[in-house]
mmCIF file of all heavy atoms in Angstrom:
data_model
loop_
_atom_site.group_PDB
_atom_site.id
_atom_site.type_symbol
_atom_site.label_atom_id
_atom_site.label_comp_id
_atom_site.label_asym_id
_atom_site.label_seq_id
_atom_site.Cartn_x
_atom_site.Cartn_y
_atom_site.Cartn_z
ATOM 1 N N LEU A 49 8.373 32.055 -32.930
ATOM 2 C CA LEU A 49 7.278 31.359 -32.506
ATOM 3 C C LEU A 49 7.273 30.722 -31.108
ATOM 4 O O LEU A 49 6.581 30.740 -30.336
ATOM 5 C CB LEU A 49 6.787 30.229 -33.545
ATOM 6 C CG LEU A 49 5.761 29.171 -33.049
ATOM 7 C CD1 LEU A 49 4.455 29.827 -32.717
ATOM 8 C CD2 LEU A 49 5.611 28.015 -33.985
ATOM 9 N N TYR A 50 8.610 30.106 -30.930
ATOM 10 C CA TYR A 50 8.855 29.406 -29.711
ATOM 11 C C TYR A 50 8.620 30.169 -28.472
ATOM 12 O O TYR A 50 8.052 29.703 -27.486
ATOM 13 C CB TYR A 50 10.275 28.695 -29.655
ATOM 14 C CG TYR A 50 10.504 27.965 -31.004
ATOM 15 C CD1 TYR A 50 11.724 28.214 -31.730
ATOM 16 C CD2 TYR A 50 9.631 27.043 -31.556
ATOM 17 C CE1 TYR A 50 12.047 27.513 -32.901
ATOM 18 C CE2 TYR A 50 9.965 26.288 -32.691
ATOM 19 C CZ TYR A 50 11.059 26.624 -33.403
ATOM 20 O OH TYR A 50 11.372 25.871 -34.466
ATOM 21 N N LYS A 51 9.071 31.435 -28.634
ATOM 22 C CA LYS A 51 8.873 32.391 -27.388
ATOM 23 C C LYS A 51 7.419 32.780 -27.255
ATOM 24 O O LYS A 51 7.127 33.318 -26.093
ATOM 25 C CB LYS A 51 9.866 33.487 -27.500
ATOM 26 C CG LYS A 51 11.376 33.154 -27.355
ATOM 27 C CD LYS A 51 12.267 34.392 -27.568
ATOM 28 C CE LYS A 51 13.688 34.018 -27.454
ATOM 29 N NZ LYS A 51 14.555 35.139 -27.504
ATOM 30 N N LYS A 52 6.687 32.629 -28.130
ATOM 31 C CA LYS A 52 5.175 32.951 -28.074
ATOM 32 C C LYS A 52 4.346 31.911 -27.382
ATOM 33 O O LYS A 52 3.262 32.203 -26.957
ATOM 34 C CB LYS A 52 4.661 33.300 -29.389
ATOM 35 C CG LYS A 52 5.393 34.244 -30.214
ATOM 36 C CD LYS A 52 5.055 35.624 -29.644
ATOM 37 C CE LYS A 52 5.474 36.739 -30.617
ATOM 38 N NZ LYS A 52 6.961 36.693 -31.096
ATOM 39 N N LEU A 53 4.921 30.720 -27.086
ATOM 40 C CA LEU A 53 4.208 29.626 -26.501
ATOM 41 C C LEU A 53 4.378 29.837 -24.996
ATOM 42 O O LEU A 53 5.068 29.110 -24.331
ATOM 43 C CB LEU A 53 4.790 28.288 -26.955
ATOM 44 C CG LEU A 53 4.697 28.078 -28.467
ATOM 45 C CD1 LEU A 53 5.421 26.680 -28.770
ATOM 46 C CD2 LEU A 53 3.280 28.051 -29.019
ATOM 47 N N SER A 54 3.571 30.774 -24.411
ATOM 48 C CA SER A 54 3.694 31.113 -22.975
ATOM 49 C C SER A 54 2.359 30.721 -22.205
ATOM 50 O O SER A 54 2.496 30.767 -21.042
ATOM 51 C CB SER A 54 4.092 32.494 -22.836
ATOM 52 O OG SER A 54 3.141 33.404 -23.439
ATOM 53 N N THR A 55 1.366 30.592 -22.842
ATOM 54 C CA THR A 55 0.106 30.316 -22.129
ATOM 55 C C THR A 55 -0.534 29.091 -22.621
ATOM 56 O O THR A 55 -0.232 28.518 -23.770
ATOM 57 C CB THR A 55 -0.911 31.417 -22.333
ATOM 58 O OG1 THR A 55 -1.424 31.438 -23.638
ATOM 59 C CG2 THR A 55 -0.267 32.879 -22.018
ATOM 60 N N LEU A 56 -1.512 28.551 -21.844
ATOM 61 C CA LEU A 56 -2.262 27.316 -22.173
ATOM 62 C C LEU A 56 -2.830 27.522 -23.583
ATOM 63 O O LEU A 56 -2.864 26.564 -24.473
ATOM 64 C CB LEU A 56 -3.239 27.083 -21.211
ATOM 65 C CG LEU A 56 -4.184 25.759 -21.517
ATOM 66 C CD1 LEU A 56 -3.309 24.466 -21.683
ATOM 67 C CD2 LEU A 56 -5.223 25.580 -20.483
ATOM 68 N N GLY A 57 -3.430 28.768 -23.858
ATOM 69 C CA GLY A 57 -4.236 29.092 -25.106
ATOM 70 C C GLY A 57 -3.263 28.985 -26.259
ATOM 71 O O GLY A 57 -3.511 28.628 -27.364
ATOM 72 N N ASP A 58 -1.941 29.490 -26.130
ATOM 73 C CA ASP A 58 -0.969 29.391 -27.014
ATOM 74 C C ASP A 58 -0.639 27.995 -27.564
ATOM 75 O O ASP A 58 -0.483 27.767 -28.713
ATOM 76 C CB ASP A 58 0.376 30.168 -26.664
ATOM 77 C CG ASP A 58 0.161 31.559 -26.288
ATOM 78 O OD1 ASP A 58 -0.834 32.302 -26.796
ATOM 79 O OD2 ASP A 58 0.901 32.145 -25.482
ATOM 80 N N VAL A 59 -0.361 27.169 -26.538
ATOM 81 C CA VAL A 59 -0.051 25.864 -26.770
ATOM 82 C C VAL A 59 -1.222 25.073 -27.474
ATOM 83 O O VAL A 59 -0.999 24.281 -28.438
ATOM 84 C CB VAL A 59 0.398 25.021 -25.455
ATOM 85 C CG1 VAL A 59 0.527 23.560 -25.796
ATOM 86 C CG2 VAL A 59 1.601 25.671 -24.905
ATOM 87 N N GLN A 60 -2.405 25.311 -27.097
ATOM 88 C CA GLN A 60 -3.561 24.729 -27.698
ATOM 89 C C GLN A 60 -3.673 25.115 -29.161
ATOM 90 O O GLN A 60 -3.821 24.190 -29.940
ATOM 91 C CB GLN A 60 -4.863 25.208 -26.877
ATOM 92 C CG GLN A 60 -5.116 24.691 -25.515
ATOM 93 C CD GLN A 60 -6.211 25.359 -24.856
ATOM 94 O OE1 GLN A 60 -6.529 26.604 -25.197
ATOM 95 N NE2 GLN A 60 -6.800 24.765 -23.817
#
Side-chain angles (χ1 to χ4, degrees):
L49 166 66
Y50 309 129
K51 292 182 180 179
K52 301 291 193 302
L53 301 177
S54 57
T55 70
L56 178 61
D58 299 336
V59 175
Q60 288 170 339

